[in-house]
Amino acid sequence: MKIINFSETNSVMNRYLYELRDTLIQADPMRFRRNVERAGEIMAYEISKTLPYAPSQVKTQLGVATVQLPALQPVVGTILRAGLPLHQGVLNVFDRAENAFVSAYRVYSDEEHFEIHTEYIASPSLEGKTLILTDTMLATGRSMEICYHALLAKGCPAAIHLVSVLASKQAVEYIKQAFPAEKTTLWCGVIDPELNAHSYIVPGLGDAGDLCFGEKL
């Protein structure tokens, strides 16, 4: 499996990650959502370089130009709800893509133990297609795996791109075992060193869903 960690090279992504972590800037949910979205735009641009291309001719006012265009459009999938701004960022780049959505949430048996439940799925056929699956925070990796297996009911993709703004080292190791290595690429804004007892990424940034959309009951 190929793993792309954007924090290993200096780019404008560092500014977005800084603002996403900063507790003062986090107080503005619109700014928080937009920074997640911008991170998605950067990662989608990089993913676009991996797709197959074919020449296409376009008529201009003065002649005909040949342009290399993507030979396929991916399916952009997201895990509700925190993944929505990241999904939008990817969709801003792949504006002709099909879309897929899966709901996933934690159900706690006590303060430290939980299971991942899914309730809703909407997806086009994935058979033989390129799937870009987004989730803002990759803490344990279990939500990503469970949602991927739910989407397999819609067909088996030929290529998989997993997109996350923040991931833990534990999640990365889990994903490496849970997904088919020969066709999966993991794109992360940054990989943080650990999880706390509640399976939140440390240092992380907090609950991305709450910061985007308000605290849930």
Side-chain angles (χ1 to χ4, degrees):
M1 179 183 295
K2 191 173 184 180
I3 299 171
I4 310 297
N5 180 357
F6 281 80
S7 68
E8 291 179 341
T9 57
N10 290 329
S11 74
V12 71
M13 180 74 86
N14 292 352
R15 166 55 61 181
Y16 305 153
L17 293 169
Y18 176 92
E19 293 193 3
L20 285 167
R21 293 188 195 266
D22 189 294
T23 55
L24 295 177
I25 300 175
Q26 284 179 352
D28 180 354
M30 183 172 68
R31 181 73 176 183
F32 187 88
R33 291 193 302 270
R34 179 58 186 136
N35 280 329
V36 173
E37 188 177 332
R38 292 197 290 183
E41 290 168 352
I42 291 175
M43 288 190 267
Y45 170 74
E46 295 298 328
I47 291 171
S48 75
K49 298 177 183 179
T50 72
L51 301 179
Y53 282 73
S56 181
Q57 291 190 327
V58 56
K59 186 177 180 181
T60 77
Q61 293 188 23
L62 300 175
V64 176
T66 300
V67 180
Q68 295 289 328
L69 295 180
L72 59 83
Q73 288 294 322
V75 177
V76 181
T78 198
I79 301 173
L80 303 175
R81 65 178 172 152
L84 285 171
L86 186 58
H87 178 98
Q88 186 60 54
V90 175
L91 193 60
N92 288 346
V93 174
F94 295 110
D95 55 1
R96 297 175 179 232
E98 297 178 291
N99 292 261
F101 300 91
V102 183
S103 69
Y105 60 96
R106 296 180 178 187
V107 177
Y108 284 86
S109 55
D110 56 46
E111 289 187 355
E112 297 183 7
H113 299 89
F114 61 89
E115 297 294 331
I116 305 294
H117 286 212
T118 61
E119 284 187 346
Y120 172 83
I121 181 171
S123 174
S125 171
L126 298 176
E127 190 64 36
K129 297 181 180 179
T130 295
L131 172 64
I132 301 175
L133 187 56
T134 70
D135 194 9
T136 302
M137 306 290 284
L138 200 60
T140 67
R142 288 163 55 194
S143 293
M144 189 76 86
E145 179 197 22
I146 288 170
C147 289
Y148 169 67
H149 282 286
L151 286 168
L152 286 179
K154 307 298 182 180
C156 185
I160 306 162
H161 295 275
L162 306 178
V163 176
S164 182
V165 177
L166 268 80
S168 71
K169 285 186 177 180
Q170 293 94 321
V172 171
E173 292 303 313
Y174 185 89
I175 290 295
K176 285 164 64 175
Q177 301 301 318
F179 281 79
E182 70 280 0
K183 62 179 180 180
T184 303
T185 303
L186 175 60
W187 304 79
C188 302
V190 63
I191 299 174
D192 277 355
E194 60 183 335
L195 298 175
N196 66 15
H198 299 283
S199 294
Y200 280 96
I201 302 171
V202 179
L205 53 77
D207 189 307
D210 287 358
L211 290 167
C212 284
F213 304 113
E215 292 187 11
K216 55 189 174 294
L217 293 176

